[in-house]
Amino acid sequence: MFAEQVQVQVRAAATGERWWRRLCLASFVLAGITALLVWVAVAELLRQGHLGAVLSAGRAELAAPLLVALVVGTGICERIWPAERRPVLARGHVQDACFLALHAIVVIPLMTLLSVGAATLIGGHAHWLQLRATEQWPGWLLVPLTIVAMDGANWLAHYADHRLGPLWRFHALHHSQEELSVLTSFRAHPLMHTAGFLLATIPVVALMPARPIAPVLITIYVCIGTLQHANLRWTFGPVGRVLVSPAYHRLHHAPDIQDANLGVVLTIWDMLAGRARFPSRADSVNRTGLDGRPVPVEQEASAGPALLLVAGQLAEPFRARS
Ligand SMILES: [Zn+2]
Ligand SMILES: [Zn+2]
């Protein structure tokens, strides 16, 4: 890998190629938008004097004991009923554990600030989005409706991740895993979340501008979204027609079926878009990852130490592809 980079640099120097031509400018634009959202959120929370409290609340929601228990419980199930049998310390597991650490330290506060920043920007500049009629609706109707609409927005963001080149550059890291496990839920570039938070904020601002969604509901939503990467053959039976199961999402991680099964928690959006492919227990377990390995992966014989590779995987979207 290192030798390849040196060769590229020597070639570039020999041909007089400008250094910035080796960078992907669209990725820097997305990083700039993310920084803007974070700056808006921090400024707003400092003004209100709530920065610490909101970050703590975000941590309680996104690192809840329920989610930790789900990851541990799923890990045990993966040892008993694996879709693909592999050692506990398989390279894919170790690498995704590094991404879990990154998630806990960097991504959870980032997600919290992105949701505040998006709500501040969209809520502050698009009052026309707020549907005043829903103010009188009972919570038992409005809350599930808002969560379903958020799931639809997440589906749209995931669709955009696959259709738009600059977004795909950040999403590809998630798809590069050849040894799927529950930890793969955390194998995501931190900048992959920006478009999703911007889109998912719209239904919240529209339907529930004045009422927050109970944190436990967000935690349950995140738990269902986390379970889908488990190294299990579970299809969820008839429930799997509605909720995304590990077997359903595994098909999305096949190198040649990525335009199907884009659902995050509900399958309805895939069904409406004609992109749902329901697995059956009789199906063989498909391989996962990306053909040609456009993102450096730990399964390469020449891959370096896990943390060094994480740095390379995070830097990859900023490099221009020839
Ligand atoms: Zn995807
Ligand atoms: Zn996935």
Side-chain angles (χ1 to χ4, degrees), residues 137-173:
W137 290 14
W140 60 263
L141 175 65
L142 194 54
V143 172
L145 193 70
T146 306
I147 292 175
V148 169
M150 272 174 57
D151 192 61
N154 284 330
W155 184 93
L156 208 58
H158 191 185
Y159 178 74
D161 283 341
H162 281 266
R163 302 296 292 184
L164 305 177
L167 296 183
W168 169 250
R169 292 296 304 270
F170 289 99
H171 190 55
L173 168 60

Side-chain angles (χ1 to χ4, degrees), residues 8-278:
V8 168
Q9 280 168 4
V10 168
R11 216 180 305 135
T15 56
E17 189 185 346
R18 299 263 184 263
W19 61 270
W20 47 266
R21 283 191 186 276
R22 300 198 298 276
L23 300 175
C24 177
L25 292 182
S27 297
F28 284 92
V29 170
L30 189 71
I33 293 170
T34 308
L36 173 73
L37 283 171
V38 168
W39 181 74
V40 166
V42 170
E44 176 65 16
L45 291 172
L46 283 176
R47 191 182 65 74
Q48 295 175 2
H50 292 158
L51 181 60
V54 167
L55 286 176
S56 300
R59 189 166 296 279
E61 214 172 78
L62 299 169
L66 184 65
L67 181 62
V68 176
L70 176 112
V71 171
V72 172
T74 307
I76 293 168
C77 291
E78 286 178 333
R79 302 313 306 161
I80 304 171
W81 305 290
E84 282 182 318
R85 193 164 288 284
R86 61 179 93 99
V88 180
L89 293 179
R91 286 221 62 174
H93 299 176
V94 172
Q95 196 68 18
D96 287 355
C98 294
F99 279 101
L100 172 62
L102 182 77
H103 183 84
I105 298 165
V106 175
V107 178
I108 287 180
L110 175 68
M111 283 176 153
T112 306
L113 293 173
L114 282 178
S115 81
V116 173
T120 306
L121 270 185
I122 295 172
H125 293 91
H127 293 286
W128 52 270
L129 268 177
Q130 298 176 8
L131 304 173
R132 294 284 166 209
T134 59
E135 283 174 6
Q136 309 305 321
W137 290 14
W140 60 263
L141 175 65
L142 194 54
V143 172
L145 193 70
T146 306
I147 292 175
V148 169
M150 272 174 57
D151 192 61
N154 284 330
W155 184 93
L156 208 58
H158 191 185
Y159 178 74
D161 283 341
H162 281 266
R163 302 296 292 184
L164 305 177
L167 296 183
W168 169 250
R169 292 296 304 270
F170 289 99
H171 190 55
L173 168 60
H174 177 67
H175 275 270
S176 66
Q177 182 52 273
E178 297 170 7
E179 296 172 301
L180 223 57
S181 78
V182 67
L183 298 176
T184 307
S185 304
F186 307 99
R187 182 193 183 95
H189 199 291
L191 298 179
M192 192 190 92
H193 304 289
T194 307
F197 272 91
L198 274 172
L199 274 175
T201 300
I202 293 172
V204 178
V205 168
L207 295 167
M208 296 181 66
R211 288 189 264 177
I213 296 175
V216 67
L217 294 177
I218 299 293
T219 301
I220 291 170
Y221 182 86
V222 172
C223 281
I224 300 172
T226 301
L227 185 59
Q228 63 183 226
H229 292 102
N231 180 27
L232 295 164
R233 302 188 65 168
W234 295 355
T235 61
F236 289 170
V239 177
R241 305 294 291 190
V242 180
L243 288 186
V244 170
S245 67
Y248 183 91
H249 190 67
R250 189 184 180 91
L251 282 173
H252 176 65
H253 277 262
D256 52 346
I257 326 182
Q258 287 158 14
D259 56 352
N261 296 8
L262 295 150
V264 177
V265 164
L266 299 172
T267 59
I268 179 180
W269 315 109
D270 285 321
M271 290 168 76
L272 289 172
R275 291 171 180 272
R277 283 183 60 165
F278 290 101

